[in-house]
Amino acid sequence: DLHSFPTRRSSDLFVMKIRLSAVLVLAMICMLLIPSALLKARDINMVMDGRQLWPSTEQGMPYIKDDRLMVPLRFLSENLAMQVSWDAEQQQITVCNWDNSMAHIFRVGSVDFIKTYAGVQEWLMMDVAPEIVNGRTFLPIRAAEELLGQIDWDAESITVSIEVSAYNKKPW
């Protein structure tokens, strides 16, 4: 009969439903990942005591990982004229302020770190461990707050603002 449509078998319909479901799930996953991918692709602004900081690719660019802003430790520390040393064997970074009255010791892969101030040592904990990316050590910005001073994040402008604590500033 010329007016009848070909019928599909139930197994063909089942396969089509599975494929359509897989495509919809994949599309939903992509939609969830797009905002964080865009955030990684855009430059993250860094402002310290009101002045714009411009990290280079060699120094390490800040990035977002698991909803945490990761910042290049050496870049931040050296902008404060802090001393940074690296112990490759221990995978450990030591950051000291200008007069060595304060030090922080971070170990790559560990959420624990040591703060020493005026000769008193204190163990502290961060929620994300420092990591090495392209030969640079990155620290979650909230852990850097302990090191630097007050830190504010503006998600709309993608800007991290750092107000350096008085004990971290050089007196001149």
Side-chain angles (χ1 to χ4, degrees), residues 102-114:
M102 181 187 66
H104 289 75
I105 302 171
F106 301 96
R107 184 169 285 172
V108 173
S110 174
V111 294
D112 299 320
F113 68 100
I114 300 170

Side-chain angles (χ1 to χ4, degrees), residues 13-172:
L13 289 175
F14 179 74
V15 169
M16 282 180 56
K17 285 181 183 179
I18 295 288
R19 286 182 181 163
L20 181 60
S21 296
V23 167
L24 289 175
V25 167
L26 185 60
M28 288 173 44
I29 289 172
C30 288
M31 289 174 63
L32 290 173
L33 295 178
I34 285 174
S36 60
L38 288 175
L39 191 56
K40 288 177 190 172
R42 289 183 59 186
D43 289 341
I44 297 170
N45 299 304
M46 297 178 71
V47 177
M48 184 180 291
D49 287 339
R51 70 182 167 94
Q52 180 77 37
L53 301 179
W54 302 100
S56 68
T57 306
E58 295 106 32
Q59 294 166 319
M61 300 297 286
Y63 60 92
I64 304 288
K65 179 182 179 183
D66 299 329
D67 294 327
R68 300 289 187 273
L69 176 59
M70 303 294 283
V71 293
L73 180 58
R74 181 173 294 275
F75 174 76
L76 284 180
S77 300
E78 289 180 350
N79 267 281
L80 287 167
M82 296 179 129
Q83 302 165 24
V84 181
S85 61
W86 168 250
D87 180 340
E89 185 178 319
Q90 297 289 323
Q91 295 279 292
Q92 186 171 287
I93 307 98
T94 302
V95 181
C96 299
N97 68 343
W98 62 276
D99 67 353
N100 289 327
S101 64
M102 181 187 66
H104 289 75
I105 302 171
F106 301 96
R107 184 169 285 172
V108 173
S110 174
V111 294
D112 299 320
F113 68 100
I114 300 170
K115 174 186 177 182
T116 304
Y117 184 66
V120 177
Q121 215 176 53
E122 181 180 2
W123 281 89
L124 300 170
M125 184 180 265
M126 47 193 146
D127 59 349
V128 177
E131 62 184 15
I132 297 175
V133 176
N134 296 327
R136 298 289 176 200
T137 304
F138 287 81
L139 189 71
I141 192 69
R142 289 296 165 204
E145 186 168 32
E146 182 65 40
L147 176 68
L148 300 170
Q150 181 181 341
I151 295 177
D152 293 310
W153 170 250
D154 182 350
E156 188 173 316
S157 65
I158 311 174
T159 301
V160 60
S161 299
I162 304 163
E163 294 300 322
V164 179
S165 297
Y167 61 76
N168 286 336
K169 290 184 179 179
K170 283 188 172 185
W172 56 85

